[in-house]
Amino acid sequence: MQFGTNMIFKKTIRISCAIAIFVMGGAVLAQQTTTAQQDQRVHLNQIQVIGSHNSYHAGFPPSARNLMEMKSPEGLHGLDYHHAPLANQLSGGVRQIEIDVYADTKGGRYAHPAILGMVAKAGLPADPEFDPHHVMDKPGFKVLHMQDIDVRSTCMTLTACLTDVRGWSKQHPQHLPIFILIETKEGRDRNLPNAVTPEPFTAPVFDALDKEIRSVFAANEMITPDDVRGSAATLVEAIHAGRWPTLAQARGRVIFLLDQRHVEPIYTKGHPSLRGRVLFTNAEPGAPDAAFTEENDGSREEIDALVKQGYLVRTRSDENTDQARTNDTTRRDLALSSGAQMISTDYPASEPSQWTSYVVKFPDGLVARCNPVTKPVGCVDKLLAPPASVR
């Protein structure tokens, strides 16, 4: 399916007006623009949004947290954050979320995390039941941060997480596109005896991942590589030619991104330029399937150069709670000044730091803004989305 002008008029466009002021030779010209008009000329890659890192992360319950303080205070330091349920984050203005997924084709692989026994052995009070509905016993992709240790999630399965997002999307049909970053987890904790070994992501497992995503979102609710590539020979050719959809075509939709670069050859095998696939890969710029790339530690110059070539870029504004503890805004301010379309944080507007005033947000409650590097002339920030209902 390609995007076409006929799709623009199938949506019920929320009309709002703003006055854009242009100074021409000393004279001031006021030009009235509507959201609908702007949506037809601003493309998906010409905006900037705030995202949340490990968006499902519920943090440690009391006894598990006490155990971590005793056994691994350094480990707890970087894990001591948590997020509200996904729908709450979206209502608070987040437009990029990150979900870690573990393959579990037979079910039950992650149903009995070691930390539960460790809490009991330490004589600490029992925390709330880990899986009262036994969803971890069933086959399907599971959502957690670190098997055996950091296992609490606001949505425990991929389908549950995506169902939450789709439910919010249906309630807000004119929302800006939601970027959903999928991180495939495979590593084993060698410091933990008898740790669960994750199932590897093979080609059949990736086929199952695409199928599970499609079981929640219909084709017309997603933006896929096939949609963007269109008639171009490769995906990278399409994005260099500026073929990302306009906001008129992208509102109310989600777009899936694959985090790990090392699994790209597995995901793309048999699917040149991601033909028939759901996720955009974190590709090496210039590769046939390259449309999205991560620059979590990239300089502003590196990020901006990629954005100017048409790539979607995700970067991070903080990590391991370090900036939030000291209110160090250096990395945040660099990210915000760049053209990265997605700026990921553990501390979006609705969830500021518990230690300092550190937070990552746009001025005036904006959910998004025109991209600092690629915005079209006359793009008006306030026409992109109404202010978030930050709680």
Side-chain angles (χ1 to χ4, degrees):
M1 178 180 65
Q2 297 185 39
F3 290 103
T5 54
N6 63 314
M7 297 178 62
I8 298 172
F9 301 103
K10 290 182 180 180
K11 295 180 176 288
T12 302
I13 303 297
R14 174 185 56 81
I15 303 298
S16 62
C17 295
I19 302 298
I21 305 298
F22 299 90
V23 179
M24 303 177 62
V28 178
L29 174 65
Q31 177 175 315
Q32 193 172 32
T33 304
T34 67
T35 293
Q37 291 168 339
Q38 177 164 288
D39 279 358
Q40 293 183 43
R41 58 189 177 85
V42 177
H43 291 251
L44 176 149
N45 63 317
Q46 294 177 317
I47 63 174
Q48 188 177 67
V49 301
I50 303 297
S52 58
H53 164 250
N54 290 346
S55 311
Y56 59 88
H57 195 249
F60 290 98
S63 289
R65 192 180 186 283
N66 290 339
L67 180 72
M68 289 292 292
E69 283 182 319
M70 293 187 292
K71 300 291 186 180
S72 181
E74 302 86 0
L76 178 61
H77 176 98
L79 301 174
D80 200 11
Y81 64 93
H82 61 274
H83 290 299
L86 297 179
N88 294 47
Q89 293 182 56
L90 294 169
S91 293
V94 164
R95 288 297 177 270
Q96 179 252 302
I97 61 174
E98 179 182 2
I99 303 174
D100 290 351
V101 296
Y102 285 80
D104 190 14
T105 55
K106 295 181 180 179
R109 185 178 289 257
Y110 310 101
H112 305 285
I115 196 165
L116 303 182
M118 295 164 66
V119 166
K121 187 176 180 180
L124 296 169
D127 283 318
E129 191 172 351
F130 168 62
D131 181 21
H133 302 294
H134 302 285
V135 297
M136 301 298 275
D137 292 328
K138 302 173 183 178
F141 292 91
K142 304 305 189 298
V143 176
L144 58 148
H145 187 225
M146 295 170 56
Q147 73 276 22
D148 283 314
I149 297 299
D150 191 7
V151 297
R152 301 275 177 163
S153 304
T154 59
C155 45
M156 300 177 72
T157 67
L158 177 60
T159 53
C161 293
L162 298 185
T163 299
D164 288 348
V165 174
R166 187 175 185 271
W168 185 92
S169 175
K170 289 302 180 185
Q171 293 172 4
H172 304 81
Q174 290 304 311
H175 66 76
L176 288 171
I178 299 169
F179 301 93
I180 304 178
L181 185 65
I182 299 292
E183 180 174 347
T184 54
K185 302 298 284 279
E186 296 179 278
R188 180 177 181 272
D189 189 346
R190 296 174 181 173
N191 298 316
L192 187 66
N194 303 316
V196 171
T197 301
E199 188 174 342
F201 274 78
T202 61
V205 170
F206 272 125
D207 290 342
L209 178 62
D210 278 2
K211 183 178 180 181
E212 195 158 300
I213 292 171
R214 288 189 173 113
S215 75
V216 178
F217 286 99
N220 64 357
E221 296 170 341
M222 299 185 287
I223 298 166
T224 67
D226 288 340
D227 296 328
V228 176
R229 188 188 329 95
S231 60
T234 64
L235 191 55
V236 71
E237 178 184 313
I239 63 107
H240 285 334
R243 295 186 184 176
W244 287 109
T246 63
L247 294 185
Q249 298 161 331
R251 284 191 185 274
R253 297 186 172 209
V254 297
I255 177 169
F256 286 91
L257 312 169
L258 183 61
D259 184 67
Q260 275 76 22
R261 184 169 287 177
H262 74 271
V263 298
E264 176 193 7
I266 304 172
Y267 191 68
T268 57
K269 187 176 181 180
H271 300 268
S273 284
L274 296 171
R275 295 181 187 277
R277 284 301 198 188
V278 171
L279 296 101
F280 291 82
T281 49
N282 175 14
E284 187 72 37
D289 57 312
F292 159 68
T293 188
E294 291 188 353
E295 287 290 334
N296 291 331
D297 299 305
S299 68
R300 185 173 63 184
E301 292 73 22
E302 290 170 327
I303 292 171
D304 291 356
L306 291 166
V307 169
K308 289 176 182 178
Q309 295 176 59
Y311 294 104
L312 286 180
V313 177
R314 180 254 197 175
T315 193
R316 290 185 64 177
S317 58
D318 44 78
E319 193 169 1
N320 295 327
T321 76
D322 292 337
Q323 290 82 2
R325 293 174 186 270
T326 62
N327 199 26
D328 180 358
T329 62
T330 306
R331 185 173 178 180
R332 179 198 71 182
D333 296 344
L334 185 150
L336 287 169
S337 70
S338 77
Q341 291 90 350
M342 294 159 275
I343 300 171
S344 180
T345 178
D346 286 320
Y347 307 96
S350 59
E351 299 176 312
S353 167
Q354 61 182 298
W355 301 284
T356 67
S357 60
Y358 184 87
V359 67
V360 181
K361 62 181 180 179
F362 297 130
D364 303 321
L366 291 173
V367 168
R369 65 181 179 181
C370 304
N371 191 285
V373 172
T374 61
K375 65 181 177 182
V377 174
C379 184
V380 180
D381 292 338
K382 291 183 178 179
L383 289 181
L384 295 176
S389 57
V390 175
R391 292 173 175 83

